Every structure is written in C-alpha cells, then in structure tokens.
Amino acid sequence: MIPDTQPLPPVDAHVHIVGTGAGGTGCWLAADSWFRKLQARLLLSAIGMKPEDLRGDFDRLYVEHLLARLRESSLGAAVVLVQEQVYDAQGRLVAGAGLFHVPNDYVLALARKHPEFFPAVSIHPCRPDALEELDRCLAGGAVMMKILPNVQNIDCSDRRFTKFWERMAAAKLPLLAHTGGEKTLPVVNAELANPHQLTLPLEVGVTVIAAHCATKSALFDANWFSDFAAMTERHENFYGDNSAFCVLNNRIRGDTVPRTLAEPLASRIIHGSDWPVPVSGFWPRAKGLMSAEAHGQWRKHPNLLERDFQLKRAMGYAPETFTRIRRLLRPRIPAAPTR
Ligand SMILES: [Zn+2]
C-alpha cells in the first residue's frame, strides 16, 4: 500500500486524441491537401506510428499506441483532449472547417475504459445545445474543458456565454484555452487567442489554464506572454501550461522560461506536452536552459511523452509543476458500471 505522504505520479495535462472515424468513433481528420497529408505523416512518425496506419483501424491503433507510451513512461496519467468543431457567431456549424474533430462521447468512453486517461471535453458555447451538452458531459465524467478560441471562433468575452461559464464554475470544471500563436491548425481569428479574452470566465470563477502561456508560435505572432503573467497577479484562478515549450518554434523566446521557473509565476505553471506535436530540446539547450548532459540523455528518447517530461525536468520545472493539475481538475466521480 502506498503511504499517504507519497506524492501522486506526474500528469501530462495536454495530450490530443486524433481519429479518422475508423471503427465508428465519430472522429474526422481532414488530410485533404498535400500539405495536410505531409503534416499528418510527420506527426505520426514523430510519435512512432506509421503513415499507413492512417488507412487502417487508425483510431484504435492511435489509442493503443498512446496508452502503451503512457504506461511505459514516468507519468501516471494524461488529460486527453476532445476537439470541437467550428461554429459561427449564430451557433451554426461551419461544416468542414478545422483540421480534425473528436467527439465528447468518444473521449468520455475512452476514459471510462482506461483510468489513466482524464477526459477533457470541448463545447462551443455558441451551440444552441451548449448547456445541455455541458450537463451531459458532466454526467459522463468530464474533468476539464478544452477550447481553441482562435481556431474554433470562440469569443470568450461574449456576454451571451456568462451562463455557460457560471455553470462550469459551479461544477468546478476548469477551462484549458489555447492562447498565443498557432501554426498547426487553421486560425479563424488570431485576436481571440489574446489572454485578455479570458477575463469573463475568470471573473465568473472558472479556473482557467492558458495553454502555452500566451507565447508566440511563429516570428510575427503577437507576444502576449507578459499580459498573461500580469493577469495571473489579478486572478488567483489563472494558470498556464508549458505545452510546446520543447518544440522547434518561437514559444520560449526571451525570458519566458526563466520567468515561468521563478515565483510568482512558477506556482501557476502546469506540465503538458501537446502530444503528438514533435518534441525537441534543441532551443532549450541552445538558450542554456538545460545542461548538455541532460540534453544528450533525453533528446532522442523514442517516447515523446517521456522525452518532453524529462526535458522539462532538466529545464528546472519543480516537481509540483507535474502534479498541480490534479488539484485543479473536477473531482472524478466513479463511473457507473456499464452493462
Ligand atoms: Zn495542443
């Protein structure tokens, strides 16, 4: 028996589920252009899957692959993310927009089957059935909500959504919202990734996690990292994740990482990898954020979940960074036995 004083194992709070719909999962993936096909192949080979897997029983293979990597890693669990579709301001589905879709029911069912998956659902608050869907997901065991405001066209400051945020706050369901630049998915409105957009849900009492701490993805993105940092001082329920900080992009420019390692920001940072996005220690090492020894030891580790975890440790993130998410998630209600 594990004594009470034993810290709980680390959690990766930002892991994407992807699917083609094989096996009737309801997922879809728009690998329609050569660029998208190439992108899908690169992501798959990065995590150790074969591009041919896309043509087969992909959804099952992807989950089995992720579970195997999770179980052989130092992590105890992963928050697995649903991908909502794009809706317009009137709540009408914009068919075919977005790169991929993963339905709530699919991820909720995966989490009922595999206790090391913590399910994060996703609902566009403009949907006419948003509140009903939220209640349904809460009953289904959702522990977090994930949205990409700039990709899914969600204006979080829209007063029409106050009730939706209030319902989330009452249910203690935290919100993981993409902030900052985005280069993997098509962006509808870049300004919606500004962390100030999250003020309304924060004021209503929702625990909000700014994915990527509002950093830039590419050279010409706006950099809202300082705005994010200032907002954490005004809102005690505001956090940020360090997902994609070990990627070949512009997220860790300037003093971003040192500031997230030191107080007052350090106690607001949550570990996340952004799996299946490729993980590289090149920039953290080039900027002197980790030792040559640690970089050499982990930079080619075949398990990207483990590689990202170890590189973040080598960058100096404190142990609590890897377990903090556990006390922010909605408490899990034991699932009713399925017949
Ligand atoms: Zn992500």
Side-chain angles (χ1 to χ4, degrees):
M1 205 176 128
I2 305 167
D4 282 351
T5 49
Q6 188 95 357
L8 286 164
V11 178
D12 188 326
H14 194 135
V15 170
H16 290 278
I17 296 292
V18 182
T20 60
T25 60
C27 301
W28 56 258
L29 176 67
D32 43 2
S33 64
W34 68 267
F35 176 72
R36 293 297 178 205
K37 280 195 184 86
L38 180 71
Q39 196 179 29
R41 291 171 85 95
L42 285 174
L43 291 178
L44 284 187
S45 57
I47 58 169
M49 287 183 75
K50 298 184 291 294
E52 307 88 83
D53 292 339
L54 269 174
R55 292 195 292 269
D57 197 3
F58 178 75
D59 299 21
R60 182 180 59 79
L61 293 173
Y62 183 89
V63 168
E64 282 175 3
H65 184 78
L66 171 59
L67 261 181
R69 299 297 81 74
L70 184 57
R71 286 174 181 161
E72 70 194 20
S73 76
S74 307
L75 302 156
V79 181
V80 286
L81 311 177
V82 157
Q83 184 79 4
E84 173 64 298
Q85 303 188 84
V86 181
Y87 288 80
D88 68 13
Q90 281 69 48
R92 289 175 303 223
L93 177 69
V94 185
L99 181 62
F100 71 110
H101 169 55
V102 177
N104 291 322
D105 283 345
Y106 177 48
V107 167
L108 289 170
L110 287 177
R112 278 194 288 273
K113 218 163 133 192
H114 309 292
E116 54 274 82
F117 282 166
F118 297 165
V121 294
S122 189
I123 303 162
H124 196 304
C126 223
R127 274 169 59 166
D129 65 340
L131 283 168
E132 289 82 3
E133 181 65 7
L134 177 55
D135 283 341
R136 227 176 51 77
C137 289
L138 290 169
V143 296
M144 191 164 88
M145 172 83 68
K146 164 73 196 291
I147 54 169
L148 290 100
N150 55 339
V151 170
Q152 289 152 345
N153 192 35
I154 302 174
D155 179 358
C156 295
S157 61
D158 190 326
R159 295 272 157 197
R160 290 179 301 164
F161 305 153
T162 305
K163 233 188 159 153
F164 186 81
W165 306 132
E166 282 172 348
R167 179 78 189 93
M168 277 182 60
K172 294 191 168 25
L173 189 73
L175 172 69
L176 173 65
H178 176 95
T179 52
E182 168 63 47
K183 281 291 164 284
T184 313
L185 299 171
V187 169
V188 176
N189 182 349
E191 199 49 42
L192 296 179
N194 185 329
H196 288 290
Q197 289 289 126
L198 299 167
T199 304
L200 179 60
L202 282 166
E203 284 177 351
V204 163
V206 178
T207 295
V208 180
I209 303 160
H212 321 298
C213 296
T215 50
K216 326 161 43 129
S217 178
L219 200 56
F220 300 109
D221 287 337
N223 192 357
W224 291 305
F225 173 70
S226 294
D227 302 64
F228 157 74
M231 282 177 74
T232 60
E233 286 172 35
R234 291 197 296 278
H235 302 281
E236 58 177 21
N237 47 338
F238 200 26
Y239 294 79
D241 84 15
N242 61 15
S243 63
F245 277 22
C246 290
V247 172
L248 287 170
N249 62 19
N250 282 268
R251 293 217 182 276
I252 58 162
R253 286 169 70 87
D255 60 354
T256 302
V257 172
R259 283 185 70 187
T260 60
L261 293 173
E263 294 299 348
L265 215 46
S267 53
R268 303 294 184 88
I269 304 299
I270 284 154
H271 167 65
S273 65
D274 213 1
W275 161 288
V277 173
V279 174
S280 163
F282 178 82
W283 281 119
R285 172 62 200 137
K287 288 167 195 272
L289 297 166
M290 69 176 72
S291 70
E293 193 193 359
H295 181 240
Q297 186 180 355
W298 298 110
R299 70 192 179 97
K300 286 191 174 163
H301 195 283
N303 183 343
L304 289 204
L305 293 175
E306 183 71 12
R307 190 194 298 177
D308 190 72
F309 169 71
Q310 295 293 355
L311 290 173
K312 300 269 178 64
R313 279 188 1 138
M315 285 158 82
Y317 285 106
E320 304 80 60
T321 315
F322 304 92
T323 55
R324 182 163 290 123
I325 189 69
R326 287 184 181 274
R327 64 177 171 79
L328 302 186
L329 296 174
R330 174 176 175 245
R332 281 190 105 183
I333 302 157
T338 40
R339 269 178 271 191

